[in-house]
Amino acid sequence: MADALDRFPVFFGTFERRFDSKRRIALPSEWIPNPRPDYFLGFFEPGERLLRVYPKQFIDHLRNYTEAVIESDREAKIALRGFFRRARYLKLDPENRITLDIGLADKLDFSSSVVLEAEDRSFVIDDAIRAKSRVDDDDSSAYYDALRRVTELR
């Protein structure tokens, strides 16, 4: 398993981008794996209204795993079907842009400005305003956790 994961690209950094009129967003050039893929796989998480994006290598790995699992593990088979039902192929054009289809764009309800945030072997596309709000929430909860620890020490 570790060998398969070593073939996946690793993403670093956070980038702010804007959609163009055709719902395309440019990916950072350092996030384009070599060899260059034709597409990425986007996984929509309805509760969070963000898009997790995985490289083609992940899709290939998942396909191989699916073939091995289909005969032996019914629960894994159901989980994988659910995953692919909510997944979208995001074609990568020659200018390193991906396009969100209109249905997905409506579900995500993004403003024109989004944040691309690396998460090791995948990345997240999130609305810039909601992402800022999540960061502020995280900062305040960290503050209160630290305050609670300090008061418990006294």
Side-chain angles (χ1 to χ4, degrees):
M1 183 69 130
D3 291 338
L5 289 177
D6 289 341
R7 292 191 308 261
F8 290 9
V10 178
F11 303 99
F12 295 100
T14 301
F15 300 86
E16 194 160 334
R17 296 285 196 261
R18 296 187 76 73
F19 282 107
D20 67 13
S21 62
K22 296 180 181 178
R23 297 175 316 285
R24 294 179 301 200
I25 185 167
L27 299 181
S29 60
E30 57 263 42
W31 284 11
I32 306 302
N34 191 8
R36 189 178 188 286
D38 295 333
Y39 59 87
F40 286 81
L41 184 74
F43 180 68
F44 170 56
E45 298 195 26
E48 295 182 1
R49 288 192 307 173
L50 52 81
L51 191 66
R52 292 198 186 284
V53 182
Y54 298 91
K56 181 182 181 301
Q57 291 90 330
F58 174 80
I59 301 163
D60 294 341
H61 174 72
L62 200 54
R63 278 191 186 128
N64 293 337
Y65 178 73
T66 303
E67 290 172 9
V69 164
I70 287 210
E71 299 302 321
S72 62
D73 189 341
R74 183 171 158 26
E75 288 179 6
K77 181 178 172 180
I78 291 168
L80 287 169
R81 281 186 181 159
F83 176 85
F84 280 111
R85 230 185 336 268
R86 289 188 305 217
R88 297 288 207 295
Y89 284 93
L90 305 170
K91 186 169 175 48
L92 184 66
D93 73 13
E95 287 81 34
N96 294 337
R97 297 175 300 195
I98 56 175
T99 304
L100 300 186
D101 65 62
I102 190 73
L104 182 58
D106 287 346
K107 287 179 184 176
L108 292 167
D109 190 31
F110 286 159
S111 62
S112 62
S113 183
V114 294
V115 173
L116 306 174
E117 185 172 353
E119 290 192 336
D120 192 26
R121 299 186 190 281
S122 66
F123 61 93
V124 171
I125 302 176
D126 196 359
D127 181 77
I129 295 166
R130 286 195 301 262
K132 169 84 171 95
S133 173
R134 285 187 183 107
V135 168
D136 290 346
D137 290 347
D138 290 346
D139 290 347
S140 64
S141 79
Y143 168 78
Y144 287 114
D145 287 346
L147 183 61
R148 189 183 72 248
R149 285 195 304 274
V150 168
T151 57
E152 288 172 356
L153 291 175
R154 291 183 181 175

